[in-house]
Amino acid sequence: MTKIIIAIDGYSSCGKSTLAKQLAKALNYIYIDTGAMYRAIALYALRNKILTADKFDVERLIKSLPNINVSFSYNSVTNQSETYLGNENIEQEIRGIEVSNQVSKIAKIKEVRAKLVDIQRELGKQKGLVMDGRDIGTVVFPNAELKIFMTAAYKIRAKRRFDELVSKGDTTTTFEEVLQNINSRDNDDTSRTEHPLIKANDAIEIDNSAISQMEQLKIALDLAKSKLANQ
Ligand code: DC
């Protein structure tokens, strides 16, 4: 059966990964969270003091890139694909506020993007893939058969991210911090020179501020089915 590539781009915390996972499950496709790849490199830079509160040694990061091995492995217990740095499962650690606050500095670096885009394109060779990020429909897969651009009101996005952190046991991060983090990441994502977040001309926009996850999934699945019917 023909398989397609579904590219999902959009702002931070708009539910891209929720929709991407549900779509992948419904279509029996692979799901790739590209934000996790940038987060993994941010974690490496933080742990190795390449990136600290007052300095960022970009040259050292670029030199280290060939030694940074980011991959995904399917966990049959959680039914999720989880992110690895080398042999270490870093799925939980990359979601914390420290990585969230620093990751956009990493995502600005041309060499980091080039490395990760190569891996992402390799993963898409077989098609049958749902990938979410910021540049998937514009840079990674400009010929993706279906491109979705997601948006949601800023405070709704912050509330969702805050609730997610709380549900994972984070008792220290405040709602104000999350709001601040989303605001600054939106600015960083849209204003950077390398692969800024922009809506591809042929992307279909879904604003999920006022629709349920089920409604959103139905819209996206209908779009995917109609694309598949035309292959
Ligand atoms: O989707 P996320 O919040 O996990 O993404 C983490 C960071 O990585 C965010 O600051 C945007 C950046 N990113 C990117 O620049 N390009 C992508 N394809 C995915 C994420």
Side-chain angles (χ1 to χ4, degrees):
M1 202 172 111
T2 312
K3 294 197 167 196
I4 60 171
I5 290 184
I6 303 178
I8 303 185
D9 289 304
Y11 296 97
S12 294
S13 304
C14 317
K16 296 183 298 295
S17 63
T18 303
L19 176 63
K21 277 181 209 161
Q22 290 172 335
L23 261 182
K25 191 168 175 213
L27 296 167
N28 204 14
Y29 279 16
I30 292 167
Y31 162 59
I32 301 291
D33 170 2
T34 63
M37 301 168 90
Y38 290 92
R39 286 171 180 268
I41 299 206
L43 181 64
Y44 178 95
L46 288 165
R47 281 182 176 176
N48 290 281
K49 311 266 183 290
I50 291 173
L51 178 59
T52 63
D54 51 10
K55 85 167 192 359
F56 181 14
D57 190 341
V58 177
E59 285 312 309
R60 211 178 124 212
L61 179 67
I62 293 171
K63 281 203 189 105
S64 307
L65 281 176
N67 307 322
I68 308 179
N69 185 9
V70 180
S71 62
F72 295 100
S73 178
Y74 186 73
N75 179 335
S76 56
V77 178
T78 58
N79 259 343
Q80 308 270 354
S81 158
E82 297 180 335
T83 316
Y84 280 72
L85 186 58
N87 294 325
E88 183 188 353
N89 184 328
I90 52 160
E91 186 57 35
Q92 289 302 319
E93 203 172 345
I94 55 170
R95 309 293 165 187
I97 197 80
E98 198 191 0
V99 170
S100 298
N101 279 338
Q102 301 296 335
V103 61
S104 49
K105 292 181 190 153
I106 299 290
K108 277 185 191 153
I109 312 296
K110 189 167 84 184
E111 289 80 359
V112 169
R113 302 203 72 88
K115 173 182 170 103
L116 296 186
V117 168
D118 279 352
I119 299 172
Q120 291 154 11
R121 288 192 176 136
E122 195 60 40
L123 290 166
K125 276 198 171 147
Q126 311 291 317
K127 299 217 172 188
L129 176 92
V130 185
M131 187 175 275
D132 78 335
R134 306 294 190 287
D135 57 347
I136 312 305
T138 49
V139 176
V140 184
F141 295 119
N143 298 323
E145 288 83 358
L146 174 59
K147 299 180 189 177
I148 295 175
F149 189 87
M150 291 180 64
T151 64
Y154 152 67
K155 286 206 170 157
I156 291 179
R157 292 191 276 134
K159 170 92 173 60
R160 288 179 187 156
R161 178 67 75 142
F162 179 71
D163 289 348
E164 189 188 329
L165 287 172
V166 170
S167 75
K168 286 182 178 160
D170 183 337
T171 51
T172 50
T173 310
T174 65
F175 180 68
E176 281 309 312
E177 280 176 301
V178 176
L179 208 56
Q180 183 85 40
N181 174 256
I182 287 191
N183 197 15
S184 80
R185 284 204 291 148
D186 281 358
N187 286 335
D188 286 340
D189 285 342
T190 50
S191 66
R192 70 171 169 244
T193 333
E194 295 298 323
H195 310 176
L197 170 65
I198 38 170
K199 183 179 154 200
N201 289 334
D202 50 351
I204 295 157
E205 186 166 321
I206 300 180
D207 180 334
N208 66 14
S209 307
I211 58 171
S212 70
Q213 284 183 10
M214 287 303 289
E215 288 167 314
Q216 163 180 283
L217 176 61
K218 183 172 182 326
I219 295 169
L221 256 183
D222 287 348
L223 290 168
K225 284 177 185 159
S226 102
K227 293 285 176 189
L228 277 162
N230 290 325
Q231 291 305 302

